Amino acid sequence: MAAVTETWLVLGGGSTIGRAFAQRAAAAGAAVLLAGRDVAELERSAADLRLRHGVPATSVLFDALDLEAHRGFARACATLAHGRLHLLLAFGVMPTQAACEADPQLAQRMVETNLTGAASVLTALAPVLRGQGGGTVVALGSVAGQRGRPRNHLYGATKAALGVFLQGYAARHARHGVRVLHVLAGPVDTALTWPLPKLPFMVSPAAFAAATWRLARRGTGQVHVPRIWAPVMAAIRALPDRVFNRLDL
Ligand SMILES: NC(=O)c1ccc[n+]([C@@H]2O[C@H](COP(=O)([O-])OP(=O)(O)OC[C@H]3O[C@@H](n4cnc5c(N)ncnc54)[C@H](OP(=O)(O)O)[C@@H]3O)[C@@H](O)[C@H]2O)c1
């Protein structure tokens, strides 16, 4: 077996996209750290990765809302990594706009998970990445963050704000070898979107993970996955308000 030179830490290791990405990384010979709340379930996925791909894979407890724990979590990940550590930010929640309007605590929890929790854990992990001379951060944003839609503008706001955080994070740590790829994801067929009506240009988690994995090897900055969303969002963003507002998207 070839020596393992890198580890992908999947934050949200139980997410549909995170699990598909972990399969890709392990198939390419990388070690995998699956981070999330349900450690028993993550350990089963890690065992599957070890068995299928013969790479080191393990689980680690992570709760985006437990900000106090993030520094200790980052230190633990540094000791568990084989070779250089890279990150996939793949956790998030998306209650409906109506549910958030009915329950402000649900809205607060979404902001705290998607934005505060993401910013906190990336900040805690920055010294680890810098200390090893750099690393790649792939963060799952959303086309929903590119123009506020009536049906999900609170979720979209968390993703737009995450994008601004990532811009500054990339600029701040670039000279220490940290590369940031902000993926503006279109709809993917996962637990997050199962409650929604069929969405346009929806892709499977495996197809999404394959495209993201390819981009993660060389890309930085912002990129749409799948690519069709670049022209679609350019068109949607160019619509005047009077037209956009009538669409009730
Ligand atoms: N699916 C799409 O169409 C789509 C489009 C654009 C962007 N994205 C983004 O892609 C990422 C992955 O989404 P997915 O579609 O794969 O969704 P998913 O299968 O529903 O997974 C969401 C994950 O987030 C985790 N999570 C929620 N709250 C957490 C917390 N406090 N601490 C740690 N983990 C927490 C969940 O963990 P538990 O299992 O413990 O609940 C779950 O594993 C999300 O950031 C999402 O916003 C998805």
Side-chain angles (χ1 to χ4, degrees):
M1 190 177 75
V4 176
T5 57
E6 62 177 20
T7 295
W8 277 87
L9 166 60
V10 183
L11 298 154
S15 70
T16 323
I17 295 173
R19 279 186 281 122
F21 186 92
Q23 288 289 346
R24 278 269 147 191
V32 176
L33 276 177
L34 298 173
R37 298 180 292 189
D38 187 346
V39 174
E41 179 58 33
L42 294 175
E43 197 39 54
R44 278 191 284 279
S45 299
D48 177 64
L49 292 169
R50 291 194 296 270
L51 201 66
R52 274 179 205 257
H53 305 291
V55 294
T58 191
S59 59
V60 52
L61 179 65
F62 165 69
D63 184 344
L65 296 173
D66 188 0
L67 305 185
E68 298 289 312
H70 288 178
R71 280 176 195 220
F73 166 76
R75 282 194 296 273
C77 291
T79 60
L80 289 168
H82 296 256
R84 185 166 281 215
L85 189 70
H86 305 291
L87 320 178
L88 176 72
L89 188 81
F91 62 84
V93 291
M94 189 180 70
T96 64
Q97 184 71 28
C100 289
E101 287 171 7
D103 180 356
Q105 284 186 352
L106 201 59
Q108 180 181 7
R109 202 175 167 83
M110 176 161 66
V111 174
E112 288 176 353
T113 305
N114 296 2
L115 176 60
T116 316
S120 167
V121 74
L122 289 185
T123 301
L125 283 158
V128 176
L129 299 180
R130 288 168 65 138
Q132 64 182 9
T136 299
V137 176
V138 178
L140 299 183
S142 171
V143 293
Q146 292 202 278
R147 185 159 190 180
R149 296 193 289 121
R151 288 192 203 161
N152 74 347
H153 53 278
L154 191 52
Y155 170 76
T158 67
K159 291 299 191 181
L162 175 66
V164 174
F165 172 83
L166 292 169
Q167 279 174 350
Y169 186 89
R172 176 153 184 204
H173 302 298
R175 75 179 71 97
H176 299 278
V178 178
R179 296 188 314 128
V180 178
L181 180 70
H182 178 197
V183 177
L184 298 170
V188 186
D189 193 4
T190 73
L192 204 79
T193 50
W194 285 332
L196 304 177
K198 186 86 182 134
L199 295 160
F201 308 119
M202 186 176 258
V203 293
S204 71
F208 182 88
T212 302
W213 173 254
R214 276 194 302 275
L215 291 161
R217 309 313 291 162
R218 49 180 158 58
T220 54
Q222 280 192 339
V223 63
H224 287 87
V225 178
R227 284 180 196 279
I228 182 69
W229 283 97
V232 170
M233 288 313 299
I236 289 178
R237 293 173 77 189
L239 288 174
D241 285 350
R242 71 190 144 71
V243 178
F244 181 76
N245 294 351
R246 275 207 300 269
L247 295 177
D248 192 27
L249 292 169

